[in-house]
Amino acid sequence: MRAYVFDGPGRPLQARELPLPQPGPGQIRLRVAACGVCRTDLHLVDGELPQPRPNVVPGHEIVGYVDALGTGVERFASRQRLGVPWLHGTCGSCTYCRRGQENLCPGARFTGYTADGGFAEYVLADARYCFELPQVYDDAAAAPLLCAGLIGFRALRMAGDARRIGLYGLGAAAHLLAQLCLQQGREVYAFVRPGDEAALAFGRRLGLTWCGYSTEAPPASLDAALIFAPAGELVPLALRAVDRGGTVVCGGIHMSTIPAFDYALLWGERQLRSVANLTRADGEEYFRTLQRYRVTPTVTSYPLEQANRALQDLREGCLSGAAVLLTPTSGSLTPPG
């Protein structure tokens, strides 16, 4: 199979012909149709994530069709469309796993980081960690739901019943979450990089309550602020923007150094939290939620062979919404009904 391999920080992904992987017990092999390009993939390529698996295939927002079943897999059938997320597997027995926090498992493996991912024609997955996908989404639209959608949803849960939500960064995660929040009757305030007129225009098209630069104060105090941009300097700005008792949630796996700030920004029972990975329960609840609220991913599609270009466009901030790699499989098997 053809795959794109990470073999060192700062280097473009390398096109390789790899042996077709064979599923072991409990595994499934999927023929990849679409794979989202997440900022986590960019952090991997840029050397900002520690100890990746050597020569790993990136990509963890995978939409694929079951091609082969390992022994013991009875839940899924051949040619069934499934989603493969970031969480590849956990130990199932540690303190975190036993208390429903499998996202914190010290022995967890992650798709496209410590296990091969979806920048390839085929991928292996643990059947226990795959999701059935809503049929209303085609392959390209479903891909960003598997990380951008899920991590935004988990971050929102940490904000509780906040009515005024601030989103720092308006990329793949934020543009999906903004639509959900608006349909829930919340006010959504988005903050983008100073000078990014395209992002401002994108926010206006989404119908946000307000959209401005990250250096600006919102027109009203926020109940919660969710930071998706990997910029540590946004943390003090977000704390300043939330009201007393408000919550600031950092939604990325990597962030630049957070500068020192006065305790007065945190005082008043403000909370500063982080989101780490996701659980299977998050996914199940998110996809149930999408049966009630419809979000429409904005997607820029690239052929698999343009994986490096997609990463560069993401790095340069050239995209509105999400980037997705497509293989010839996309739309050629069992289409959404």
Side-chain angles (χ1 to χ4, degrees):
M1 69 172 187
R2 191 166 182 81
Y4 284 79
V5 173
F6 168 72
D7 65 357
R11 300 184 60 186
L13 300 180
Q14 303 298 306
R16 301 272 172 80
E17 293 291 330
L18 301 180
L20 191 65
Q22 300 302 314
Q27 290 185 318
I28 54 177
R29 184 175 69 210
L30 297 104
R31 187 177 176 189
V32 177
C35 186
V37 181
C38 180
R39 185 162 290 276
T40 300
D41 300 314
L42 193 58
H43 291 316
L44 170 71
V45 170
D46 290 346
E48 295 168 335
L49 299 185
Q51 299 180 323
R53 207 202 77 182
N55 297 306
V56 70
V57 177
H60 56 273
E61 298 177 321
I62 306 168
V63 178
Y65 294 81
V66 176
D67 177 72
L69 300 169
T71 58
V73 178
E74 299 178 353
R75 181 182 171 194
F76 301 123
S78 180
R79 297 174 63 88
Q80 185 174 355
R81 189 177 78 148
L82 299 176
V84 182
W86 168 247
L87 189 65
H88 184 85
T90 59
C91 75
S93 59
C94 69
T95 299
Y96 302 103
C97 286
R98 292 198 307 270
R99 68 187 185 199
Q101 293 177 299
E102 64 182 8
N103 58 309
L104 303 181
C105 173
R109 299 181 68 208
F110 302 104
T111 310
Y113 179 32
T114 56
D116 281 338
F119 287 14
E121 293 175 324
Y122 292 86
V123 68
L124 288 183
D126 186 321
R128 297 171 298 174
Y129 293 82
C130 295
F131 295 115
E132 296 184 54
L133 299 171
Q135 293 301 305
V136 294
Y137 296 98
D138 65 20
D139 297 337
L145 301 177
L146 288 157
C147 183
L150 283 171
I151 210 68
F153 185 66
R154 186 172 178 86
L156 180 64
R157 292 174 65 187
M158 290 188 174
D161 60 357
R163 306 311 299 171
R164 288 177 176 162
I165 303 283
L167 304 178
Y168 284 79
L170 196 53
H175 95 285
L176 295 172
L177 185 59
Q179 296 174 60
L180 177 60
C181 288
L182 289 171
Q183 290 177 64
Q184 292 176 335
R186 307 181 197 238
E187 297 177 18
V188 180
Y189 299 75
F191 300 81
V192 304
R193 286 181 298 184
D196 193 343
E197 294 293 331
L200 286 180
F202 184 45
R204 296 187 188 106
R205 291 196 300 273
L206 290 173
L208 305 186
T209 308
W210 177 87
C211 193
Y213 295 135
S214 58
T215 51
E216 297 181 78
S221 294
L222 306 174
D223 298 316
L226 314 182
I227 303 176
F228 296 108
E233 63 269 20
L234 295 175
V235 171
L237 295 175
L239 285 169
R240 188 174 287 115
V242 298
D243 207 348
R244 296 185 182 198
T247 303
V248 173
V249 182
C250 300
I253 192 173
H254 170 83
M255 180 177 275
S256 61
T257 300
I258 300 172
F261 55 85
D262 291 336
Y263 175 65
L265 289 182
L266 189 61
W267 189 78
E269 299 192 354
R270 295 174 178 86
Q271 297 184 70
L272 179 59
R273 306 188 63 177
S274 70
V275 169
N277 314 311
L278 54 96
T279 68
R280 284 172 284 180
D282 291 328
E284 291 162 3
E285 183 178 350
Y286 181 56
F287 290 123
R288 283 196 301 268
T289 300
L290 293 186
Q291 294 175 7
R292 180 178 178 188
Y293 303 103
R294 178 71 183 272
V295 302
T296 304
T298 296
V299 169
T300 301
S301 297
Y302 302 78
L304 177 62
E305 292 74 18
Q306 293 183 9
N308 285 308
R309 177 186 165 190
L311 286 166
Q312 185 62 25
D313 287 350
L314 179 59
R315 181 183 289 109
E316 294 177 356
C318 299
L319 299 167
S320 292
V324 175
L325 301 179
L326 299 179
T327 74
T329 297
S330 182
S332 66
L333 296 177
T334 306

